[in-house]
Amino acid sequence: MPPRFDDIGHRLKAFRLGSGLSAEEIAHRIGISRTALYRFEKGELVKIDTLEKLAELLNVSLPTLLGVGVEYIPSAVTYFERMRQIEETAEHIVVLAGPVSYLLASDAFNATLAELLKESVPEGAGPRAEADVDEILAVLKSRKETYRKRQPAIVNLIAASEITRFLINGLVGRLDLPEKVKRERRAIARAEVEHFARVMEDQPIGVQIGIVPETLPHTSFQIFRQPDRQILALSPFRLGEEPNVRVGVAMITSAPEALALHQKQAEGMWHRALKGAAAARFLRDLIARHRE
């Protein structure tokens, strides 16, 4: 399949955001105008030597920038921006991602997220780490707005063990918080699990949530169905209880074998999952068990 220049532009923007470099700085260092860089990000044809310079400056391989094979993404900023871009045209999404799927999370979760991510950054990480959190929050806000506007169909798989841990620890960025804060965050976690229970009872059109009784992989994956292709994203980055937005390498691919294997796994988990009213009752039982 020949490279799609709109995809190249999307990747270029995502890796630029993840680099921490401004558009002006990138343009200056490779000898082009900022306007030209923005045109490239919108999908305008780029000369291969310019792409090579951009790839070197952004510390990404040229095949990844071109979308040849697997995209390897070592930055949470870049990864969440790529998710935003892919979701703009996705018609159906399968999500396996920790105790909370961000697109389906409540507004109360969003309100706590900034504090959660900032407290997960270790002391001494430097201003770049804090700037990355701000960039991630901006991208996530845009993702949520896009989802609410487009309403693609979602199948969300959640592990019962992840929810249990979420209720025990609360919505925390780290575990060494004052006890008063931890109590407040456990209350927020209970409210968020109750939110998902209500969603499962209401069964809104296009939203399916399954609670899988067994332990699931810690590495999340998402399958996106677009009008002309399917895309698989695997990620170590996570939101919610003890989030990780700093360490790991995400991967994005359209390889048929990888898609088929993960689709088969998702179908098996969905078949075994609790759904609807039964799943809501299960969640409320967990809430009652861990209520203070």
Side-chain angles (χ1 to χ4, degrees):
M1 181 182 295
R4 290 173 40 162
F5 289 101
D6 58 339
D7 280 352
I8 294 172
H10 287 158
R11 294 186 197 97
L12 177 56
K13 179 179 180 181
F15 279 99
R16 171 174 67 78
L17 292 176
S19 73
L21 299 172
S22 68
E24 291 86 350
E25 186 174 359
I26 291 172
H28 175 73
R29 287 171 66 171
I30 67 169
I32 63 174
S33 68
R34 184 182 63 174
T35 302
L37 178 62
Y38 287 146
R39 288 203 306 265
F40 297 158
E41 291 182 357
K42 291 182 181 297
E44 187 173 292
L45 182 66
V46 191
K47 292 181 180 178
I48 192 66
D49 61 333
T50 302
L51 275 178
E52 288 174 342
K53 292 177 184 177
L54 285 165
E56 182 178 1
L57 179 60
L58 297 174
N59 197 29
V60 57
S61 72
L62 185 59
T64 289
L65 204 54
L66 290 169
V68 178
V70 180
E71 292 179 49
Y72 296 100
I73 302 175
S75 159
V77 176
T78 300
Y79 174 73
F80 288 122
E81 170 63 16
R82 288 292 289 130
M83 294 301 94
R84 185 197 67 77
Q85 294 166 353
I86 293 168
E87 287 161 359
E88 282 187 325
T89 54
E91 298 174 339
H92 186 273
I93 306 171
V94 176
V95 181
L96 172 67
V100 175
S101 170
Y102 176 74
L103 294 181
L104 299 179
S106 70
D107 291 337
F109 176 86
N110 285 343
T112 310
L113 189 58
E115 189 174 359
L116 176 75
L117 295 184
K118 288 177 180 177
E119 72 190 16
S120 74
V121 177
E123 291 184 15
R128 171 65 192 280
E130 294 182 8
D132 281 352
V133 168
D134 290 336
E135 194 70 61
I136 288 168
L137 291 168
V139 172
L140 291 175
K141 180 182 178 183
S142 181
R143 282 183 66 194
K144 180 80 81 171
E145 290 170 352
T146 297
Y147 167 70
R148 288 179 171 173
K149 185 185 301 179
R150 298 190 62 250
Q151 295 286 309
I154 287 187
V155 174
N156 185 194
L157 295 160
I158 305 173
S161 58
E162 291 259 15
I163 299 171
T164 300
R165 194 176 70 179
F166 183 50
L167 290 167
I168 292 171
N169 292 333
L171 191 58
V172 294
R174 62 179 194 269
L175 296 178
D176 61 340
L177 297 171
E179 186 56 38
K180 178 177 182 293
V181 175
K182 288 194 283 188
R183 283 197 302 272
E184 293 170 352
R185 299 297 183 79
R186 286 193 289 268
I188 294 172
R190 291 194 296 272
E192 193 62 25
V193 175
E194 173 61 33
H195 162 75
F196 273 81
R198 288 196 301 272
V199 172
M200 284 185 282
E201 285 179 330
D202 294 343
Q203 297 185 355
I205 294 174
V207 175
Q208 296 176 287
I209 301 174
I211 307 300
V212 187
E214 70 259 34
T215 300
L216 299 183
H218 287 292
T219 299
S220 68
F221 71 81
Q222 298 186 65
I223 301 171
F224 302 90
R225 186 183 305 143
Q226 296 178 321
D228 58 342
R229 61 182 170 174
Q230 292 190 78
I231 297 171
L232 170 68
L234 300 99
S235 171
F237 305 120
R238 55 181 277 142
L239 306 172
E241 176 256 341
E242 289 195 271
N244 170 36
V245 293
R246 299 188 66 251
V247 181
V249 178
M251 292 177 282
I252 299 176
T253 182
S254 289
E257 182 179 12
L259 278 161
L261 289 171
H262 284 82
Q263 183 67 43
K264 184 176 180 180
Q265 289 289 318
E267 290 172 356
M269 287 185 280
W270 180 253
H271 178 73
R272 298 189 296 275
L274 296 170
K275 310 170 190 75
R281 285 194 300 271
F282 177 84
L283 290 186
R284 291 201 172 100
D285 286 345
L286 282 181
I287 293 171
R289 207 175 305 161
H290 297 286
R291 189 177 299 280
E292 296 175 354

